[in-house]
Amino acid sequence: MKKLLAVIDMQNDFIDGTLGTREAVEITDRVAAKIVDFEGEVVFTLDTHTQNYFNTQEGINLPIMHCIKGTHGWELSSKLKPLSQNCIIFEKPSFGSVEFGKYVSDSGFDEVYLIGLCTDICVISNAMLIKAFAPETKVIVDSSCCAGTTKQNHENALSAMKMCQIEIL
């Protein structure tokens, strides 16, 4: 069985930076352990913005500079950065990565596991992209290795994904 683990946006700005949360800090060690123990391919996504962020639709709706390419906030957590060596990294200017969806579809994975941040924005977006690009691929979200913008938003996103035939652990 061909398996993939997608580590979504475990970046400093989402953990303890401008958009960080206590829950994001709390999952970081579990995410690292999941990566180390995973038997299959591991990829990462990076929320990636430029200095013109406030001129984008996202920047207008969320006017908080974050994940500006080349900054400390854009980088992976120092606990995870060494684990990303020799892994594909998808930089994405928005919530979901079309490039990642195509990669999953073209690579013929049987199962794709998602972990990371934020459950209610980027995790759910990428899970739904996988369902669109590879509808017969089993998509699994490990809720213990995800955190949302709030606990309620995290739970709402898990419920929505479950309704779309995404398995929630």
Side-chain angles (χ1 to χ4, degrees):
M1 184 168 301
K2 193 171 179 182
K3 297 181 182 181
L4 177 70
L5 175 66
V7 182
I8 308 296
D9 297 358
M10 288 295 297
Q11 295 161 266
N12 293 318
D13 272 347
F14 292 132
I15 297 170
D16 57 8
T18 58
L19 293 172
T21 64
R22 182 176 46 89
E23 292 82 11
V25 172
E26 290 173 359
I27 69 164
T28 305
D29 288 334
R30 287 193 301 273
V31 167
K34 182 93 173 185
I35 294 167
V36 170
D37 293 340
F38 190 75
E39 294 182 14
E41 185 177 343
V42 178
V43 299
F44 290 77
T45 68
L46 292 178
D47 194 47
T48 303
H49 301 294
T50 62
Q51 291 297 331
N52 77 338
Y53 173 73
F54 291 129
N55 296 326
T56 67
Q57 184 173 341
E58 181 182 332
I60 292 165
N61 290 295
L62 177 64
I64 299 170
M65 281 287 236
H66 66 280
C67 298
I68 304 301
K69 188 171 183 167
T71 66
H72 174 74
W74 174 75
E75 294 177 2
L76 286 170
S77 161
S78 61
K79 292 181 179 181
L80 304 178
K81 199 170 192 175
L83 302 175
S84 71
Q85 302 302 313
N86 303 315
C87 293
I88 295 173
I89 297 176
F90 296 94
E91 292 181 19
K92 54 187 190 54
S94 186
F95 307 136
S97 170
V98 171
E99 183 183 4
F100 171 56
K102 288 178 183 176
Y103 179 76
V104 170
S105 177
D106 293 346
S107 299
F109 292 102
D110 298 299
E111 296 181 347
V112 177
Y113 294 77
L114 289 99
I115 58 176
L117 303 169
C118 292
T119 317
D120 50 312
I121 301 173
C122 294
V123 173
I124 193 172
S125 295
N126 284 288
M128 297 306 291
L129 275 168
I130 295 167
K131 293 302 279 182
F133 278 95
E136 295 305 315
T137 299
K138 186 174 185 177
V139 180
I140 303 139
V141 172
D142 185 340
S143 62
S144 72
C145 291
C146 292
T149 55
T150 67
K151 287 182 181 183
Q152 186 61 51
N153 289 344
H154 170 77
E155 292 300 326
N156 290 344
L158 295 174
S159 294
M161 287 187 280
K162 189 173 183 180
M163 292 300 298
C164 293
Q165 302 177 355
I166 293 166
E167 184 178 334
I168 307 299
L169 301 178

